[in-house]
Amino acid sequence: MFFGCEDEQIDQPAIAFYPDTAVEATEGDGVTYTVRLETTGIPANAGTIEFSVTNGAFLVTDPVIQNGSMTLSLEAGQTSTFFTIQVLEDNIPANYEAKFEVTQVTGGLSGIANGTFTLFVSSLDLACPEADQLERTDLSAARTQLGETLTIIGT
């Protein structure tokens, strides 16, 4: 005798990010990134995929992130769905990660195969001296943060 999953759950597919579970982007690059999810089988019933989104303040998504959450619909027989992301200029001098984590599936989906997508965002606001500023700076006695003296070779 078999005990465990209900018969209806055995035949229901799970959802997974495919083919990418992570992408690297640059803030304000104007690129629209498409994030695809696929099912492990053909769902007999319509369902939804709910996400929690971390660090989504500087993202434009379709569907829209609302209160740190986002929801996608999946029709019966549909084996893939997607959402899109654009990264805005954020004026924050740091790189960051935005995470999209599947928190719940309903309807024709039984579970989550791989449930986290990460967007690594490179900041354009990191401090970097201009080339002409470097040329005017006397680096002959420069010291590192550890107190070591740098030796400058060449002109």
Side-chain angles (χ1 to χ4, degrees):
M1 181 172 257
F2 177 78
F3 293 98
C5 299
E6 296 178 26
D7 289 340
E8 63 210 39
Q9 289 184 334
I10 293 173
D11 295 332
Q12 291 180 328
I15 194 75
F17 286 99
Y18 181 82
D20 298 314
T21 57
V23 170
E24 188 173 338
T26 301
E27 70 177 14
D29 62 8
V31 175
T32 298
Y33 298 91
T34 300
V35 181
R36 183 180 167 119
L37 294 101
E38 290 194 359
T39 62
T40 58
I42 300 172
N45 301 310
T48 61
I49 307 158
E50 296 177 24
F51 302 87
S52 70
V53 182
T54 306
N55 291 334
F58 299 104
L59 305 177
V60 174
T61 61
D62 184 19
V64 175
I65 299 168
Q66 296 179 347
N67 299 318
S69 298
M70 186 173 71
T71 302
L72 287 175
S73 295
L74 192 70
E75 299 300 321
Q78 184 181 354
T79 58
S80 68
T81 189
F82 67 92
F83 61 92
T84 60
I85 305 170
Q86 280 189 312
V87 182
L88 300 174
E89 167 63 44
D90 64 17
N91 296 317
I92 295 176
N95 297 327
Y96 67 93
E97 297 175 8
K99 289 193 183 265
F100 294 78
E101 184 175 353
V102 179
T103 55
Q104 183 176 351
V105 294
T106 64
L109 299 169
S110 66
I112 304 162
N114 73 20
T116 304
F117 174 83
T118 305
L119 180 70
F120 297 97
V121 180
S122 297
S123 177
L124 296 174
D125 306 314
L126 296 174
C128 182
E130 299 294 325
D132 63 334
Q133 184 181 10
L134 286 175
E135 290 172 8
R136 294 187 308 246
T137 305
D138 179 9
L139 299 175
S140 60
R143 293 191 174 272
T144 68
Q145 288 182 341
L146 299 175
E148 301 163 329
T149 301
L150 296 175
T151 304
I152 308 300
I153 300 172
T155 56

